[in-house]
Amino acid sequence: MSAVTSPQIVPAVPPVRVALLGCGVVGSQVARLLSEQADDLAARVGAPVELVGVAVRRLGLKRDVDLPAELFTTDAEALVSRDDVDVVVEVVGGIEPARSLILSALRHGASVVSANKALLAEDGATLFAAAEAAGRDLYYEAAVAGAIPILRPLRESLAGDQVTRVIGIVNGTTNFILDRMDTSGTGFTEALEEAQQLGYAEADPTADVEGFDAAAKAAILASLAFHTRVTAADVHREGIAEVSAADVASAREMGCVVKLLAICALEHGPDGPAVSARVHPAMIPRSHPLASVREAYNAVFVESRAAGQLMFYGPGAGGAPTASAVLGDLVTVARNRLAEVSGAGESAYAGLPVLPMGATQTRYHVQVDVDDKPGVLASVAHAFAERNVSIQTVRQEGRGDDAQLVVVSHTASDADLAATVESLRSMPNVRDVSSVMRVEGVDG
Ligand code: HSE
């Protein structure tokens, strides 16, 4: 049934024919929306949108959508090679066979809509080149932050502006875990278990917890924001498994919250403009818009020269939300097919160098357990000064055997900050460096 009840104008033109690769959590919702919203989609595209085949690994499984059995096939290659398929929607994920299937689809004249962040972040260049050679579209809004429109704003809405920084909470699982640690004071392990019980975290949570998922999304965001090819291998990655309850408590003391951030920035490199791309836990002030992103939600904060600060917020995963992004692309791609044009392809004209993490400008929060004796503060300050790192604030917590110095630096190169921490670890009056975390979202 149509979602819009007013009279529809469904044009009498041949349908745009769609093949779907994958019928899991996202694929089944794509198929459901294609059916339930058929009239609206036809009116918006200018032609009916017809699902002509669904490739799955196994036939006969119970699915979250009712589809005629004859639509299903296990021969994905044959499906994408059909010359009557106009658009292939790929929601299987992973590198292979997704890459071969997408390349085959493009070679056979289909446009492609994909949600495959890992593939786009690893080998987007090959896919974009194939799309260009074929004169077809490759759209992938669903690959980053689920339902949130962020790739189209970067590629199109901000095409006349100069984006300087993108900071994203782009992994819902880790945001849920860190939010639980912040609100309940639990440690990482307990929060992860809760996330698994509630279905937010996978049984093997490595891709989320170790930051691989967010790093792939950071590569895609950086590529679009800075018109430069950035791959997942270019992204510095640290996960959240080492974040302790003490780190979270320390952030709270400072009026901050710990988030796993994907940060892509335009930087001053040694030879001119450059790009940095990194994923790591960081403290941000509770007043920062990203601090209000709770539970498994995602958000992307964009800074640009003319527009200033923008924030995009919403569900970053889940079947229907991700299918919403897929369908948005599908409508655009289908319209382009009817108009016999292709949309914007890869824009990598800037070709900026990607800085190594050591050369990236960051700020550190460092908590050191120290002997509470004259000269200790001076020697700690000296360790920062030796590396030319300026201190913004320092405060002492506790006294006697339980004294801690909490230092927040100004901005410096990550290499100098890391070296400062190393020299603190070897100082005689420092018993332990009990917390080290980068600080984001504050000037200085
Ligand atoms: N596993 C991801 C997350 C969603 O937790 O946000 C898919 O990228």
Side-chain angles (χ1 to χ4, degrees):
M1 193 182 34
S2 169
V4 175
T5 51
S6 56
Q8 305 282 304
I9 305 162
V10 180
V13 291
V16 174
R17 295 163 66 85
V18 176
L20 179 59
L21 307 181
C23 198
V25 174
V26 177
S28 61
Q29 295 307 305
V30 170
R32 179 179 67 79
L33 293 174
L34 275 174
S35 162
E36 288 181 5
Q37 300 180 171
D39 289 350
D40 291 299
L41 291 170
R44 292 170 195 177
V45 167
V49 181
E50 185 187 347
L51 186 60
V52 298
V54 183
V56 291
R57 265 205 298 261
R58 275 184 292 165
L59 298 174
L61 295 186
K62 187 165 161 34
R63 317 233 172 233
D64 290 339
V65 59
D66 270 338
L67 291 173
E70 60 270 21
L71 281 187
F72 287 97
T73 175
T74 54
D75 192 346
E77 178 54 43
L79 180 60
V80 301
S81 306
R82 275 170 55 168
D83 57 14
D84 64 340
V85 166
D86 299 305
V87 183
V88 169
V89 173
E90 183 270 309
V91 287
V92 289
I95 306 300
E96 286 293 351
R99 172 170 42 203
S100 301
L101 292 170
I102 289 174
L103 292 174
S104 184
L106 292 166
R107 265 199 313 275
H108 285 92
S111 290
V112 173
V113 175
S114 172
N116 194 329
K117 64 209 157 234
L119 176 56
L120 284 151
E122 180 172 307
D123 200 13
T126 302
L127 305 182
F128 295 127
E132 190 176 349
R136 295 299 186 222
D137 285 333
L138 170 61
Y139 275 52
Y140 49 100
E141 181 67 66
V144 178
I148 303 174
I150 180 60
L151 303 192
R152 196 180 302 255
L154 285 173
R155 189 178 55 229
E156 294 174 20
S157 320
L158 293 165
D161 203 338
Q162 190 91 40
V163 174
T164 51
R165 183 182 276 257
V166 178
I167 310 182
I169 294 173
V170 289
N171 184 268
T173 305
T174 46
N175 200 54
F176 179 89
I177 292 169
L178 292 170
D179 187 43
R180 276 294 180 276
M181 290 173 73
D182 179 53
T183 50
S184 67
T186 56
F188 167 77
T189 309
E190 296 92 321
L192 170 60
E193 277 166 15
E194 189 184 346
Q196 284 170 321
Q197 279 157 15
L198 293 171
Y200 288 117
E202 309 269 349
D204 176 0
T206 311
D208 294 317
V209 161
E210 297 300 338
F212 290 100
D213 176 81
K217 292 165 179 168
I220 294 170
L221 290 170
S223 301
L224 282 171
F226 306 123
H227 302 272
T228 287
R229 268 184 201 155
V230 180
T231 68
D234 295 321
V235 179
H236 174 85
R237 177 189 53 77
E238 295 170 31
I240 64 162
E242 305 299 319
V243 176
S244 66
D247 292 328
V248 173
S250 194
R252 179 172 281 281
E253 283 282 311
M254 286 195 10
C256 288
V257 62
V258 177
K259 296 288 188 189
L260 182 72
L261 300 180
I263 304 167
C264 314
L266 203 53
E267 307 258 0
H268 298 288
D271 305 313
V275 166
S276 66
R278 51 196 164 106
V279 167
H280 54 71
M283 295 181 181
I284 54 169
R286 283 183 190 270
S287 56
H288 192 283
L290 286 173
S292 63
V293 179
R294 304 279 315 277
E295 303 206 318
Y297 280 89
N298 281 196
V300 183
F301 189 75
V302 178
E303 295 173 6
S304 71
R305 294 237 156 90
Q309 299 180 329
L310 308 165
M311 190 154 101
F312 303 81
Y313 170 85
T322 308
S324 165
V326 169
L327 265 285
D329 278 352
L330 181 52
V331 167
T332 303
V333 164
R335 282 182 187 144
N336 288 348
R337 289 302 301 250
L338 288 184
E340 296 183 1
V341 296
S342 50
E346 184 187 30
S347 173
Y349 72 88
L352 299 175
V354 183
L355 290 182
M357 186 62 194
T360 302
Q361 296 292 302
T362 60
R363 310 175 68 194
Y364 274 28
H365 162 280
V366 184
Q367 186 169 309
V368 278
D369 300 349
V370 291
D371 295 336
D372 196 3
K373 292 197 304 207
V376 172
L377 172 59
S379 62
V380 166
H382 183 66
F384 282 81
E386 260 186 341
R387 295 282 174 175
N388 207 26
V389 176
S390 178
I391 290 173
Q392 187 197 23
T393 61
V394 61
R395 71 169 199 275
Q396 178 167 339
E397 298 277 329
R399 54 195 299 182
D401 288 345
D402 190 28
Q404 293 171 331
L405 290 175
V406 182
V407 182
V408 179
S409 76
H410 280 299
T411 302
S413 80
D414 201 78
D416 283 336
L417 287 158
T420 302
V421 171
E422 278 319 297
S423 48
L424 288 172
R425 288 190 203 283
S426 61
M427 282 171 47
N429 293 317
V430 170
R431 290 197 301 275
D432 188 22
V433 178
S434 47
S435 172
V436 180
M437 195 165 292
R438 297 185 184 91
V439 179
E440 292 293 332
V442 275
D443 294 330

